[in-house]
Amino acid sequence: MAVRRYKFQAFVTLPSEGEAALPPGKIQRMTIRGERHGTHGSHFFSALVANQGDSAGGIGANHAIVTVTLAGDDPVEYFSAGDHFALWRGHDIADGVVTRRLFV
């Protein structure tokens, strides 16, 4: 299995203190927990998560559109359009759904 870079856009639902977890205009290193297609086994990935903060007009304070960049073995098995995932920092801090893949 080759380690590949993978980039996607996602819609994320944050807890009420969500802006503290993903401040707009910032890029953060985070852990993402995804579920593999078919087996439904969980796997953790290290990722860069960018909350652009400027293109999300009108979606509400507890939601964000983010760009996620990660590297791993077959990330497409975990992160395709419509797949759910969690942002994780010792526990789930936000839930997300992949909206589209971005090619790098």
Side-chain angles (χ1 to χ4, degrees):
M1 302 267 162
V3 175
R4 299 181 187 166
R5 283 188 48 195
Y6 195 76
K7 189 173 187 177
F8 61 89
Q9 189 174 60
F11 181 78
V12 176
T13 302
L14 303 158
S16 58
E17 65 280 355
E19 290 227 347
L22 282 172
K26 300 289 183 186
I27 298 173
Q28 297 183 48
R29 181 159 302 281
M30 302 184 100
T31 302
I32 295 183
R33 182 175 47 83
E35 186 176 289
R36 187 178 186 97
H37 303 150
T39 65
H40 303 290
S42 292
H43 186 71
F44 290 94
F45 295 86
S46 178
L48 292 176
V49 179
N51 180 356
Q52 303 303 327
D54 57 355
S55 62
I59 64 169
N62 290 359
H63 297 92
I65 295 174
V66 299
T67 301
V68 177
T69 305
L70 56 85
D73 296 333
D74 293 328
V76 72
E77 290 293 321
Y78 298 85
F79 306 106
S80 296
D83 287 338
H84 292 265
F85 64 92
L87 296 178
W88 194 82
R89 282 193 177 148
H91 59 88
D92 291 354
I93 62 166
D95 295 312
V97 62
V98 177
T99 57
R100 67 184 178 130
R101 181 176 177 188
L102 303 170
F103 292 91
V104 283

